[in-house]
Amino acid sequence: ERVSSKQIIKSLFQKEGSIDRTELLDILDSDYNIDIGNPGASYFAELGLYFCAINNTIYKSKELYNEELTNYLNSTEEK
């Protein structure tokens, strides 16, 4: 049975909460011999993921992005 690149990406995010886009593209290329180009936010949104262009990271959900951003901002306030 053939597995699509989108199915592979979805399975990677079942294990990981977030992955840097460059790292994801490297994993797809080196581990699966898949080249999906340089997709933008809409590609990942189709998969139910959230892409943040500011830090070039894909998140399992927008909620996880918000949570990590809030944690980061709170940690910088304390310093």
Side-chain angles (χ1 to χ4, degrees):
E1 181 179 327
R2 291 183 60 117
V3 177
S4 74
S5 58
K6 289 182 178 185
Q7 290 171 313
I8 291 170
I9 293 169
K10 281 183 171 182
S11 72
L12 289 171
F13 280 91
Q14 288 175 353
K15 299 173 195 166
E16 302 291 330
S18 62
I19 303 174
D20 178 84
R21 180 170 62 171
T22 305
E23 181 181 348
L24 174 64
L25 297 176
D26 288 344
I27 290 168
L28 292 174
D29 183 42
S30 64
D31 294 358
Y32 301 98
N33 200 27
I34 295 173
D35 180 6
I36 60 170
N38 197 14
S42 62
Y43 180 87
F44 298 110
E46 288 177 20
L47 300 172
L49 305 171
Y50 177 75
F51 173 64
C52 175
I54 294 169
N55 64 3
N56 199 41
T57 302
I58 304 132
Y59 295 85
K60 186 184 268 187
S61 67
K62 173 83 162 129
E63 291 76 22
L64 177 60
Y65 166 75
N66 288 336
E67 180 182 321
E68 288 190 10
L69 179 60
T70 300
N71 290 341
Y72 171 76
L73 292 174
N74 288 339
S75 72
T76 59
E77 277 183 12
E78 295 170 2
K79 293 180 181 178

